[in-house]
């Protein structure tokens, strides 16, 4: 070995050791986050935030199919009980009335600050007469028993209105005290994970906990052995996608390696030649992974999957060296290598540089996944070419020669002599391809992010079914308003909510959620307090309003006391919601991030008969 050759080998070994150290400490991921934009627009930022840490990304929809209604209800209650005791979940709801009394007491106490119906007109003489009359008429309804006890405190029906507003029109059906699907064949649960949507490991632990709770519940119930668990939601998709991507990368990489190694072994018929020929490939792959880890902090599985194309190009370099140089003896080796460098290396170098230029365009992509692929390929190609140029010649044994396969070249040459007439076939294919592209130019490109998703159509269909049964928002559509502080955001959410309600009334939307429903802006609360009349004026109006009704104003003393208390109450803030389920709902829809507040208003699809139809975003815009 020459001194230059020894230095090259030493540098190469040091590079490999460094790459192995970097890779051993690297973070690998297999979700689709690398294909979210690096510098997103405002709308794209909403998508990124919701996919990585939003409340929607933490929801798991659960369906339980069992032989009969009673079994489904038992399993629902038992699984919900087990999940509520686990730290992986912040909320588990199956329609049971747990905590409902606490929420109802809070709504009753704060009804005049929360109800959008509290206006000056409602507390005028005519408004009171109409509201109290409606409450009296409702006494004959199924809710009459509760209304009768509430009537002295809430004759205007603010609590009932608030409960209906909180539950909405898309609440799931109930059977045996738990949520069920529209056709009654499934029990339904909704779980919110503590782990964020971007924490795929945390989502996987949550799913494992749900499956374990289901297995334990069914094992303890002889009548539930044939039951089936159905899971859907962003967390389910992220875990499933990671497994699919990881499996595909492993399988395709293995197929590529086995195919190329097998082909080279058939041609070389030498383990020595095969091992030496793969050194540039292995070196380039290790250097590419290490470069991506250092440059991006995380290595995406899809990068490794696409990066298998590096094998096909990098292995060519050693083939060129083995075939184009002849080394019958060690003494002749140095001269033959020098001749190879002079004659053939410039051509190989040019090919390497054109590949580098082609992949370099990916470095400027707005998607980290594509930029990773560019860096991986460039680094791998350059290192593979460098190993071939400076390291392999030193490692080649004395008298090294590859098997003569020139007969294959002669055979192919003979075929090509007779292939000249086929050029018109190629021209015809080119013209046909151009015509196809021109005819489909408007539909050729798929701009939907969902096209990258490995989630199956069956899983997406199940998600739509469970989401429709639960009345959950359509996670594809979300209105977001942002501003510098919480008060401004809540005011904006109220203004947007007024416009969305018009679309709900018109049937364009099925409904929407908003944090302003449980935490109105300070301005709205103060306006409602000002709409409440002082004690003497309220008493006079009640006297006149109830003159022709079947209730005397004297029975409404608790109502008058509550109104006066609300007039002088401190406005509600977020801390007042602690201890109720309304706190979780507010935290999910009112987000403070990056020094700004955002209010999220998830939209629900309108109903057309018995099925949900798609949301048309244009009227909403």
């Amino acid at each position: 070995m020459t001194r230059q050759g020894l230095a090259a080998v030493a540098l190469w070994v040091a590079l490999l050791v460094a790459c192995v150290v970097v890779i051993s400490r690297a973070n690998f991921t297999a979700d689709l986050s690398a294909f979210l934009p690096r510098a997103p627009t405002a709308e794209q930022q909403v998508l990124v935030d919701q996919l990585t840490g939003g409340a929607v990304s933490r929801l798991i929809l659960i369906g339980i199919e069992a032989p009969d209604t009673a079994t489904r209800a038992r399993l629902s209650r038992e699984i919900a009980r087990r999940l509520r005791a686990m730290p992986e979940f912040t909320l588990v709801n199956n329609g049971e009335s747990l905590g409902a009394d606490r929420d109802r007491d809070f709504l009753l106490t704060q009804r005049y600050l929360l109800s959008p119906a509290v206006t000056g007109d409602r507390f005028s003489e005519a408004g009171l007469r109409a509201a109290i009359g409606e409450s009296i008429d409702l006494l004959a309804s199924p809710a009459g028993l509760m209304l009768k006890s509430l009537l002295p405190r809430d004759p205007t029906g603010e609590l009932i209105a608030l409960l209906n507003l909180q539950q909405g029109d898309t609440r799931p059906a109930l059977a045996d005290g738990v949520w069920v699907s529209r056709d009654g064949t499934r029990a339904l649960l909704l779980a919110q994970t503590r782990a964020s949507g971007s924490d795929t490991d945390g989502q996987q632990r949550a799913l494992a906990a749900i499956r374990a709770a289901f297995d334990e519940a069914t094992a303890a119930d002889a009548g539930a052995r044939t039951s089936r668990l159905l899971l859907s939601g962003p967390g389910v998709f992220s875990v499933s996608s990671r497994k699919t991507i990881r499996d595909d990368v492993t399988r395709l990489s293995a197929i590529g390696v086995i195919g190329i190694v097998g082909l080279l072994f058939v041609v070389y018929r030498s383990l020595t030649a095969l091992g030496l020929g793969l050194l540039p490939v292995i070196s380039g792959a290790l250097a590419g992974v290490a470069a991506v880890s250092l440059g991006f902090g995380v290595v995406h599985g899809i990068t490794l999957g696409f990066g298998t194309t590096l094998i096909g190009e990098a292995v060519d370099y050693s083939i060129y060296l083995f075939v184009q140089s002849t080394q019958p003896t060690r003494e002749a080796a140095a001269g033959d290598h020098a001749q190879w460098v002079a004659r053939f290396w410039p051509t190989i170098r040019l090919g390497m540089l054109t590949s580098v230029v082609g992949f370099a365009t990916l470095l400027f992509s707005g998607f980290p996944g594509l930029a990773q692929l560019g860096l991986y390929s460039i680094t791998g190609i350059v290192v593979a070419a460098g190993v071939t140029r400076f390291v392999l010649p030193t490692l080649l044994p004395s008298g090294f020669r590859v098997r003569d396969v020139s007969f294959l070249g002669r055979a192919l040459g003979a075929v090509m002599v007779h292939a000249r007439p086929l050029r018109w076939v190629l021209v015809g294919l080119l013209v046909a391809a151009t015509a196809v592209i021109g005819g489909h130019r408007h539909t050729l490109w798929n701009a939907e992010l969902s096209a990258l998703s490995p989630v199956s159509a069956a899983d997406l269909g199940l998600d739509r079914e469970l989401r429709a049964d639960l009345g959950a928002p359509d996670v594809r559509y979300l209105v977001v308003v942002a501003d510098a502080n919480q008060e401004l955001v809540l005011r904006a959410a109220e203004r947007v909510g007024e416009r969305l309600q018009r679309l709900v009334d018109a049937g364009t939307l099925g409904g929407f959620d908003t944090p302003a429903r449980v935490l109105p802006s300070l301005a709205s609360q103060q306006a409602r307090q000002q709409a409440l009349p002082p004690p003497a004026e309220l008493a006079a109006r009640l006297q006149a309003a109830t003159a022709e009704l079947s209730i005397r104003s004297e029975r409404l003393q608790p109502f008058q006391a509550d109104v006066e208390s609300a007039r002088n109450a401190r406005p509600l803030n977020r801390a007042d919601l602690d201890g109720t389920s309304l706190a979780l709902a507010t935290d999910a829809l009112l987000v403070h991030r990056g020094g700004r507040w955002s209010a999220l208003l998830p939209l629900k699809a309108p109903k057309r008969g018995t099925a949900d139809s798609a949301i048309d975003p244009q009227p909403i815009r």
Side-chain angles (χ1 to χ4, degrees):
M1 290 187 184
T2 65
R3 181 177 297 179
Q4 183 181 5
L6 286 173
V9 171
L11 182 61
W12 169 65
V13 171
L15 172 67
L16 292 185
V17 171
C19 289
V20 170
V21 171
V22 171
I23 293 173
S24 66
R25 301 176 179 178
N27 293 320
F28 293 86
T29 183
D31 56 32
L32 292 176
S33 59
F35 291 91
L36 297 175
R38 181 160 41 191
T41 63
E43 283 189 343
Q44 291 168 346
Q45 187 61 53
V46 171
L47 171 65
V48 172
D49 290 343
Q50 288 306 299
L51 286 177
T52 55
V56 171
S57 69
R58 294 158 52 210
L59 293 180
I60 297 178
L61 315 179
I62 305 172
I64 301 172
E65 294 182 347
D68 54 72
T69 302
T71 303
R72 286 191 290 270
R74 285 199 308 273
L75 287 178
S76 175
R77 281 190 281 268
E78 179 60 21
I79 292 171
R81 183 187 66 80
R82 293 175 183 270
L83 296 182
R84 289 182 184 120
M86 296 180 182
E88 287 85 2
F89 303 97
T90 60
L91 173 68
V92 177
N93 200 345
N94 66 339
E96 292 182 277
S97 59
L98 301 177
D101 292 341
R102 184 173 51 208
D103 289 351
R104 189 170 58 229
D105 290 343
F106 175 82
L107 293 175
L108 178 62
T109 303
Q110 306 294 344
R111 63 192 182 279
Y112 297 116
L113 297 181
L114 293 174
S115 175
V118 175
T119 62
D121 289 341
R122 186 171 183 81
F123 280 82
S124 66
E125 179 184 328
L128 288 170
R129 182 182 298 110
I132 296 172
E134 290 177 3
S135 296
I136 293 174
D137 292 339
L138 285 174
L139 290 175
S141 71
L145 185 61
M146 183 181 75
L147 288 173
K148 185 176 182 180
S149 62
L150 280 175
L151 191 63
R153 286 193 65 183
D154 188 26
T156 58
E158 305 302 336
L159 177 61
I160 299 300
L162 280 176
L163 290 174
N164 290 334
L165 194 62
Q166 298 299 325
Q167 294 172 341
D169 296 328
T170 55
R171 55 179 178 246
L174 283 171
D176 279 5
V178 300
W179 285 339
V180 295
S181 59
R182 296 174 181 177
D183 58 8
T185 59
R186 295 173 185 157
L188 303 172
L189 297 91
L190 185 65
Q192 186 177 69
T193 63
R194 190 174 302 278
S196 65
S198 59
D199 183 1
T200 310
D201 290 334
Q203 294 293 326
Q204 186 169 0
R205 289 191 295 271
L207 292 175
I210 294 173
R211 293 189 176 101
F214 175 78
D215 291 341
E216 292 169 2
T218 52
D221 190 335
R225 301 295 169 83
T226 60
S227 301
R228 192 160 70 107
L229 177 68
L230 304 173
L231 298 173
S232 190
V236 179
F237 292 159
S238 67
V239 172
S240 171
S241 298
R242 182 173 70 173
K243 183 179 185 304
T244 301
I245 292 171
R246 181 182 293 163
D247 292 346
D248 282 356
V249 168
T250 302
R251 183 176 65 256
L252 295 177
S253 298
I255 291 173
V257 170
I258 291 171
I260 291 177
V261 169
L263 177 62
L264 291 179
F265 185 74
V266 168
V267 174
Y268 289 155
R269 304 283 181 89
S270 167
L271 291 176
T272 300
L274 178 62
L276 290 172
L278 291 177
L279 285 182
V281 178
I282 296 171
S283 303
L286 291 175
V289 175
V292 171
S293 177
L294 292 174
F296 291 87
V298 64
V299 182
H300 200 285
I302 292 181
T303 300
L304 300 179
F306 284 123
T308 56
T309 57
L310 172 66
I311 299 174
E313 181 160 356
V315 79
D316 288 346
Y317 301 147
S318 60
I319 294 174
Y320 296 148
L321 174 64
F322 295 164
V323 174
Q324 293 171 346
S325 64
T326 58
Q327 300 180 358
T329 65
R330 179 181 294 274
E331 291 74 16
D336 288 340
H337 177 61
Q339 185 181 24
W340 179 80
V341 170
R343 293 184 58 191
F344 299 109
W345 173 248
T347 303
I348 297 173
R349 182 178 58 200
L350 178 61
M352 177 197 72
L353 292 176
T354 56
S355 297
V356 168
V357 171
F359 283 114
T361 58
L362 295 178
L363 294 175
F364 304 100
S365 171
F367 297 94
L370 296 180
Q372 281 194 21
L373 179 59
L375 179 60
Y376 178 91
S377 300
I378 291 172
T379 305
I381 289 172
V382 171
V383 170
V387 171
T388 304
R389 168 68 173 81
F390 298 103
V391 177
L392 268 191
T394 304
L395 299 179
L396 293 181
S398 176
F400 175 82
R401 295 180 67 87
V402 293
R403 182 167 170 262
D404 183 11
V405 291
S406 58
F407 68 93
L408 291 176
R410 290 192 295 271
L412 289 173
V415 171
M416 294 304 296
V417 168
H418 301 287
R420 186 177 180 85
L422 296 178
R423 66 186 185 277
W424 298 112
V425 175
L426 296 178
V427 172
L429 290 175
L430 178 61
V431 172
T434 304
V436 169
I437 292 174
H440 296 81
R441 61 187 181 277
H442 298 302
T443 58
L444 187 63
W445 305 108
N446 189 339
E448 295 294 328
L449 183 64
S450 58
L452 291 174
S453 173
V455 180
S456 67
D459 289 341
L460 292 174
L462 173 63
D463 184 75
R464 285 192 295 269
E465 289 181 23
L466 293 178
R467 200 168 293 281
D469 287 338
L470 280 163
D474 186 335
V475 294
R476 296 172 298 170
Y477 297 102
L478 190 73
V479 175
V480 180
V481 291
D483 217 312
N485 62 59
Q486 179 178 293
E487 174 65 14
L488 294 177
V489 163
L490 289 173
R491 291 185 190 181
E494 289 168 346
R495 292 195 299 272
V496 171
E498 291 174 0
R499 299 194 178 193
L500 290 177
Q501 187 58 47
R502 297 174 201 165
L503 297 177
V504 174
D505 296 339
T508 305
L509 271 180
F512 64 94
D513 292 328
T514 173
R517 217 166 257 162
V518 291
L519 185 60
S521 68
L522 179 62
S524 293
Q525 294 186 56
Q526 291 174 339
R528 290 164 190 169
Q529 285 179 312
Q530 293 171 3
L532 300 174
E537 190 172 343
L538 177 60
R541 294 178 185 179
L542 278 176
Q543 184 75 29
T546 58
E548 298 178 1
L549 298 176
S550 59
I551 187 173
R552 300 181 61 83
S553 61
E554 289 78 8
R555 285 194 59 198
L556 303 181
Q557 291 297 327
F559 166 61
Q560 298 180 59
D562 284 355
V563 169
E564 181 59 17
S565 177
R567 285 183 69 245
N568 299 293
R570 172 184 56 80
L572 289 172
N573 57 42
R574 165 59 188 82
D576 295 321
L577 304 178
D578 289 338
T580 71
S581 64
L582 306 176
L584 289 172
T586 303
D587 291 342
L589 300 177
L590 189 62
V591 181
H592 186 232
R593 182 177 294 130
R596 289 178 65 81
W597 286 87
S598 296
L600 314 181
L601 288 78
L603 307 180
K604 300 178 182 180
K607 293 185 181 299
R608 300 285 188 266
T610 60
D612 287 344
S613 59
I615 290 177
D616 180 5
Q618 191 53 44
I620 301 166
R621 292 185 188 280

